[in-house]
Amino acid sequence: MDTADKPRPSEFWDEFYSERHRVWSGKPNASLVREITMVAPGRALDLGCGEGADAIWLAERGWTVTAVDISAVALDRAAQHAEEAGVAQRITWLRRDLTEWTPEGEFDLISAEFLHSPIELPREQILRRASEAVAPGGLLFVVGHVAFPPWSRHGHDEAEQAQLPTAEELAVSLGLRADAWEVETSASDGREVTGPEGQTAIMTDAVLKARRR
């Protein structure tokens, strides 16, 4: 495909979310629930918030949330879900291209759940920029695939799969030095996930949880 024929990222993601009335389950990511439930609430930034399940879950637990996504379709849907959950006043929805946007201010939690894309996305650059906005004592929390699910739109060649970092590799690539960060890394137990056509697979996640000293 010629570069001129490629859709803009905003167009791609608006089309992606327009394909179905609801793309995701509406439930918060299990790793977020497991790792953040006992963390005292403060200011949170949710990168690539999609339909808003994680942002809503955080708001329900007292967090003040800034939730960012490139898709207007996803954000409209997320805002409606927040209204229905009664937490709309605790969430600010921002339509931004993460490849160009820089967070303003500091946050007690910056969360990026499965920030992967079948079109070009400088994930490491986005996460490195985000890490600079973590307040002292705050958390950077990143969850990603160890391998893409078999039904995903991502390529499945060996080179692309090899680019998916472990939590330890991601911590190194983001420059999270031991004198500035206390890094906790783990891999979740295998979990069964369901694809858009009812397919199932067992997936393992790379989980990075790092606290700024």
Side-chain angles (χ1 to χ4, degrees), residues 8-82:
R8 298 173 58 188
S10 58
E11 296 170 344
F12 174 88
W13 287 109
D14 279 344
E15 180 179 344
F16 173 84
Y17 280 104
S18 296
E19 289 177 354
R20 295 193 296 278
H21 176 68
R22 168 171 272 176
V23 174
W24 310 117
S25 69
K27 300 177 181 179
N29 280 293
S31 295
L32 181 73
V33 174
R34 184 183 67 246
E35 299 288 344
I36 304 301
T37 291
M38 301 306 294
V39 177
R43 293 187 65 212
L45 175 62
D46 184 9
L47 298 175
C49 65
E51 293 167 318
D54 288 348
I56 291 168
W57 181 85
L58 288 167
E60 289 174 336
R61 279 146 189 80
W63 292 84
T64 300
V65 186
T66 299
V68 186
D69 203 277
I70 196 171
S71 170
V73 175
L75 289 172
D76 287 346
R77 201 171 290 171
Q80 180 181 345
H81 294 162

Side-chain angles (χ1 to χ4, degrees), residues 150-152 192-201:
W151 55 78
S152 79
E192 183 174 304
V193 295
T194 303
E197 305 300 328
Q199 320 95 306
T200 60

